[in-house]
Amino acid sequence: MNDDEAAVTERLRASVPSTFDGRDTEFGVHTPRGYFQQQLNFDLEQELAARDWLTFSEQNLCMVTAGAVFHDEIGLEAVRERFAYYPRDVWLYLMIAAWWKVHPEVNLVGRAGFVGDELGSALIGSQVVHGLMRLCFLLERQYAPYSKWFGTAFSRLECGAVLSPILSRVLAAESWQAREEALMAAYDVVAGKHNALGITPPVATEVTRMWEWPFKVLWGDFPGALANELKDPAVKQIAERWPVGGIEQVRDVLWSGGDRRRLVELLDTAE
């Protein structure tokens, strides 16, 4: 802490009440550069690269860009605008990874249920629900918060009112057949949302039966369509190394700013 920060801290300590409306008060004093270094482990004097975006914790990006700025003499809003949302090709790549979190799992809901494993089918169904919700955040270009606020934030998305009751049916289903039907309905809504954006040529969906088994899957090649739209060489290189994602899942575990160096090293070791 430099002398100016120390002076402001002392003044606040003398002026800010210890409680407000029955709650304890807290405050912190930071420079923009120091704050973003602390939260994202990123120096604002550097240029942002694809590897940075794919190693920033999404919940931290949500935190540093959410809320209002009421007084700004230090250029904070201009800094926040740099992190407002993922660049186009990083965004497309994250959607590729998110679709791959859904595609391999959807047919397993029926396959597990078909052999009498309703608990396993329900568990897989819940994972697919999370994947579809994650896709909705991406499609609406909104950072997703961590698990405590994930459902609340989802309900505030444009598609939240339509999808919430459908996804609730998936989670409440007592048979794999009911679970399967609700998942196909949810998938159809998310697929329509993707096509409405016009970020790829329209992707056709069809109901298929996997290897003639008695369960159905609604499928569309969204990952392939998105991959064809990648232009940034740095993102294309990452997509070649991690074609179905993976790095975006690791950052959910190593989410603190101090962990980011380890994620960057993980990307670099794949070169």
Side-chain angles (χ1 to χ4, degrees):
M1 183 181 296
N2 60 36
D3 291 343
D4 288 338
E5 289 175 284
V8 172
T9 299
E10 286 304 313
R11 184 169 181 179
L12 287 171
R13 186 174 289 121
S15 304
V16 175
S18 59
T19 61
F20 179 80
D21 197 22
R23 298 171 182 258
D24 293 339
T25 57
E26 292 186 23
F27 63 86
V29 178
H30 308 274
T31 63
R33 185 179 182 186
Y35 180 72
F36 280 82
Q37 181 71 53
Q38 179 187 80
Q39 299 299 331
L40 299 178
N41 199 1
F42 180 78
D43 189 337
L44 293 178
E45 295 189 358
Q46 297 176 342
E47 292 296 321
L48 284 161
R51 70 195 307 226
D52 296 317
W53 287 106
L54 290 172
T55 54
F56 290 145
S57 160
E58 184 163 12
Q59 67 185 51
N60 285 6
L61 286 170
C62 182
M63 178 179 64
V64 300
T65 57
V69 175
F70 297 100
H71 184 74
D72 189 12
E73 292 184 352
I74 57 175
L76 176 59
E77 194 57 49
V79 175
R80 297 206 318 169
E81 287 175 1
R82 291 182 65 188
F83 299 91
Y85 202 67
Y86 301 112
R88 178 185 178 277
D89 277 25
V90 173
W91 174 50
L92 297 183
Y93 174 69
L94 287 171
M95 283 192 286
I96 292 171
W99 277 111
W100 277 119
K101 285 281 286 180
V102 171
H103 279 310
E105 300 295 312
V106 171
N107 79 96
L108 301 183
V109 170
R111 293 178 72 178
F114 185 66
V115 297
D117 183 10
E118 282 292 350
L119 179 59
S121 174
L123 179 60
I124 297 166
S126 70
Q127 293 168 344
V128 176
V129 165
H130 186 273
L132 290 170
M133 292 171 71
R134 169 78 183 127
L135 269 166
C136 290
F137 279 98
L138 287 163
L139 288 166
E140 295 195 15
R141 295 181 62 83
Q142 298 288 326
Y143 290 131
Y146 76 113
S147 56
K148 177 183 177 182
W149 298 109
F150 187 79
T152 300
F154 176 79
S155 70
R156 295 171 180 167
L157 295 179
E158 290 181 6
C159 64
V162 174
L163 271 173
S164 291
I166 302 174
L167 297 177
S168 293
R169 292 208 310 269
V170 177
L171 299 178
E174 296 184 358
S175 70
W176 65 266
Q177 293 93 338
R179 196 171 296 118
E180 178 184 85
E181 289 297 326
L183 276 174
M184 286 201 300
Y187 189 105
D188 188 53
V189 172
V190 179
K193 193 167 183 64
H194 171 101
N195 284 331
L197 287 178
I199 53 178
T200 69
V203 177
T205 59
E206 61 176 339
V207 177
T208 63
R209 290 186 180 272
M210 307 294 290
W211 300 291
E212 301 306 315
W213 286 99
F215 39 82
K216 297 169 289 186
V217 173
L218 188 61
W219 157 262
D221 188 13
F222 296 98
L226 288 161
N228 289 336
E229 299 299 317
L230 294 178
K231 302 291 190 298
D232 185 338
V235 178
K236 292 176 74 172
Q237 190 175 43
I238 291 169
E240 288 171 1
R241 299 181 198 136
W242 305 80
V244 298
I247 189 65
E248 86 294 344
Q249 297 175 48
V250 180
R251 69 180 184 153
D252 290 340
V253 178
L254 302 176
W255 57 267
S256 74
D259 288 327
R260 199 170 76 83
R261 187 180 303 277
R262 297 163 66 185
L263 292 179
V264 171
E265 291 172 354
L266 181 60
L267 274 174
D268 289 346
T269 55
E271 294 181 355

